Amino acid sequence: MPTTLPTKQTHVNRRPDPHKGLNPAQIEAVQAPTGPLLVLAGAGTGKTRVVIARILHLVQQGTPPERILAVTFTNKAAREMVLRIGGKFKKKRTSQASTQDDPIQKPEISTIHSLCVRILRRHAEHAGYPTRFIIVDRSEQETTARRVLKELKVADATLRPADLLARISHWKSRGVRANEVFDTLSTDADDSWDLAAAGYQRYQRLMHGVGAVDFDDLLLVVDQLFDQHETIRQQEAQRFDHVLVDEYQDTSGIQERILSALASDHRSLCVVGDDDQSIYAWRGAQISHILDFPTRWPGATVVRLEENYRSTPEIIEAANKLIERNSRRHDKTLVSRAPSGLKPNIVQAQDEVDEARRVTADVEGLLRERYAPHNEMAILVRTGEQTRVFETELRHRNIPYELIGSRSFFDRREVKDVLSFLRLLIDQTDDLALSRIANVPPRGLSYNAVEKARKKATESGESLWSTLLELSNTGQLSSAASAGVDRLEQLIALGPANTKGGTTASEALQHVLNQANYQQYLEKEFEDQREQEARWQSVEEIVNGLARHEKAHRDADPAAVVQRYLDDLILEVQEAERFEDDKPKGNTLKLMTLHAAKGLEFDCVWMVGLEENLLPHIRAANEGLSAIDEERRLCYVGVTRARKRLVLSLALTRMKWGKAKPCKPSRFLYELTGQSEKFTEGPAKAREKVGAKPRTRRAPGGR
């Protein structure tokens, strides 16, 4: 009688107890019955540990590992989960026939884009794509967009390739297909939107014609497949018995539809997230997905994780006081399980430079005391232009730092443009500066015209500017190029050496930028409003820096002040480059925006610029309550990054286009300190106290 060999199996390595070390709420989440499950995981409550423990629990209950899908929203998070869960599974040798080459069945852990790639590979022909479809990169997208606009005879001044791609991405992320795009346009939309819609349709035809998809297509095409082919949706859904989703508060509409389609049959959908940390509405994330989950999935189990293992009770108390001010949220209150520590410190500085000096001096003191290493310290800003003064002070104190999620201030395109304008205003023989901004913004001075002048200047030994003037005056340039030279000459005439009536260099620079329509140029160059604002704020910081320099050297000639300012900046840039080379790897203070800090944690955190119109941002103040709520969630994210020490700082005045303007303390400072009733919408007072005396470095109870 033949012997039947047992089937090779995968089991959890050594059958670890998935509940070991978990608190009661975490155990409840792990053991919750199959079906819709919402795990509200507050900051620092161990959500990744719970997700992994639930996967192990499901396997021990009999679910084959490969029947479990876990979706994260970043490759980093997916890699971390794979690493943490990888050693939990091994082959179970049930016969002599088992070998070391036997595959180990594991849960499928991936980002939603990676998941959609695999789905599309299996069903590409039903979407009209070859099985070996191409996923194009950004440069290939731009090449295609450029071709589209050329075929449509659209000038760059009307719609640039980057603008077209931004609008296409906007439509795709909202599930709008090319054949539907015209139906979504409002009747009062300007002509550029009609051109973009036509460009979207032609772009898709070109991409489809060569069997290519872009990053956004991966979701759009799969969503379309599920919508048009029920058998495909069922086939993909039947591959899994359980679907787990991390960071559910960050899902967009199209992402949520795909995930729901995979779980709608078995209804074993476990979503983990925190509505209090939903800060990506501007990327298409919809907080309603997590807020309305119990309604959209009837019978859902809701488990709240409220025990925080990251931050001191003092920090958590402040965080709770802040976030409870949001009207629409799931009810939960964090409780710290960490030892008691220091109360959050509030620092009131005279201005942004004083703020940077006080914060970096505090950093230096803690490093000297060995309170924490460099890599356990972070300075968090609301906007990118705030980093400049902190970069300067950190370098002056020889504190190694790393700028996360952004380029150094001096590497920014608009900064280089404005500095070139400034250099040219005091020295028309600066050929490098002229070369950069000769046709920025476009004024008819084409590349060919500038190159013609450059060659003649090299031969004659004259400056590029004098040669351009000569060629224009002698009719050797086209009428458009000559007109461009005239416009540039008018701008140069606004320089500080030519102005009268006490006009400062910073004011002269503002006049030049206004006359050059540089802000409008940035708006055309960058489609996204937030990007436009960030770029223009960097320009403002150059003006503010020049104004601060003027204040320090009031008696000097305006041109001499500008030259000294430029010299100092050049030295600062060189110092930054040297500092980067010398910077120890892996042990650096982190300087980053609040958005970039999400998911991270540090022993010491300095949140700076807590002023109305900065945090909350002025844009949110103009948009209404929901936007303020998101800014409050952003502030909450920053506060909950701190384990042991939290410092909140503000400036009593801040430079605005070369003039010192009074600042009003952020409403969030009042809320964090339990003084929300004291906040008013009225004008700022000269010295408004919020939890600490003006100009004191440490608040009572602080370190």
Side-chain angles (χ1 to χ4, degrees), residues 25 28-29 32-33 35-41 271 275 290-295 297 299-305 330-332:
E28 183 184 358
L37 171 62
L38 170 61
V39 181
L40 293 168
V271 301
D275 52 297
I290 192 168
L291 291 176
D292 300 336
F293 186 87
T295 303
W297 292 84
T301 301
V302 180
V303 180
R304 290 170 171 81
L305 306 184
H330 286 292
D331 184 32
K332 55 187 175 297

Side-chain angles (χ1 to χ4, degrees), residues 106-297:
K106 296 181 180 180
E108 185 165 332
I109 302 172
S110 71
T111 65
I112 190 165
H113 286 88
S114 297
L115 173 67
C116 287
V117 168
R118 294 191 290 273
I119 293 173
L120 192 52
R121 292 288 182 200
R122 289 191 285 269
H123 308 285
E125 68 279 2
H126 290 91
Y129 288 92
T131 305
R132 297 186 172 224
F133 60 83
I134 304 164
I135 303 174
V136 298
D137 59 20
R138 180 69 183 185
S139 65
E140 292 168 319
Q141 284 185 267
E142 290 177 349
T143 298
T144 305
R146 198 170 291 108
R147 176 182 170 184
V148 165
L149 293 174
K150 185 177 181 180
E151 291 178 357
L152 293 174
K153 298 181 176 166
V154 178
D156 276 3
T158 303
L159 190 67
R160 298 176 59 84
D163 301 334
L164 175 60
L165 291 176
R167 295 186 185 185
I168 291 174
S169 181
H170 167 85
W171 282 315
K172 288 182 177 181
S173 65
R174 287 156 180 77
V176 179
R177 300 159 192 169
N179 63 333
E180 305 167 337
V181 65
F182 278 103
D183 296 332
T184 68
L185 298 180
S186 63
T187 55
D188 58 349
D190 63 54
D191 292 343
S192 68
W193 282 95
D194 286 319
L195 292 171
Y200 179 17
Q201 293 183 338
R202 188 169 295 229
Y203 172 90
Q204 286 299 97
R205 286 197 296 271
L206 290 174
M207 295 286 281
H208 193 270
V210 296
V213 297
D214 60 28
F215 195 65
D216 293 316
D217 280 328
L218 296 174
L219 303 186
L220 186 70
V221 176
V222 168
D223 183 49
Q224 186 172 352
L225 272 173
F226 286 176
D227 186 49
Q228 297 180 351
H229 301 276
E230 174 61 14
T231 56
I232 292 177
R233 186 203 65 78
Q234 290 179 351
Q235 182 180 339
E236 290 299 323
Q238 289 168 4
R239 295 183 63 243
F240 305 106
D241 296 327
H242 305 280
V243 177
L244 298 92
V245 184
D246 194 14
E247 302 289 359
Y248 190 64
Q249 76 280 349
D250 294 335
T251 53
S252 67
I254 195 168
Q255 291 168 344
E256 195 276 334
R257 287 198 301 274
I258 292 171
L259 293 168
S260 294
L262 292 172
S264 60
D265 296 339
H266 54 68
R267 288 178 48 85
S268 184
L269 174 64
C270 170
V271 301
V272 184
D274 183 9
D275 52 297
D276 290 335
Q277 298 186 71
S278 179
I279 59 174
Y280 295 121
W282 53 280
R283 287 185 183 173
Q286 297 181 26
I287 193 174
S288 60
H289 295 157
I290 192 168
L291 291 176
D292 300 336
F293 186 87
T295 303
R296 292 185 296 105
W297 292 84

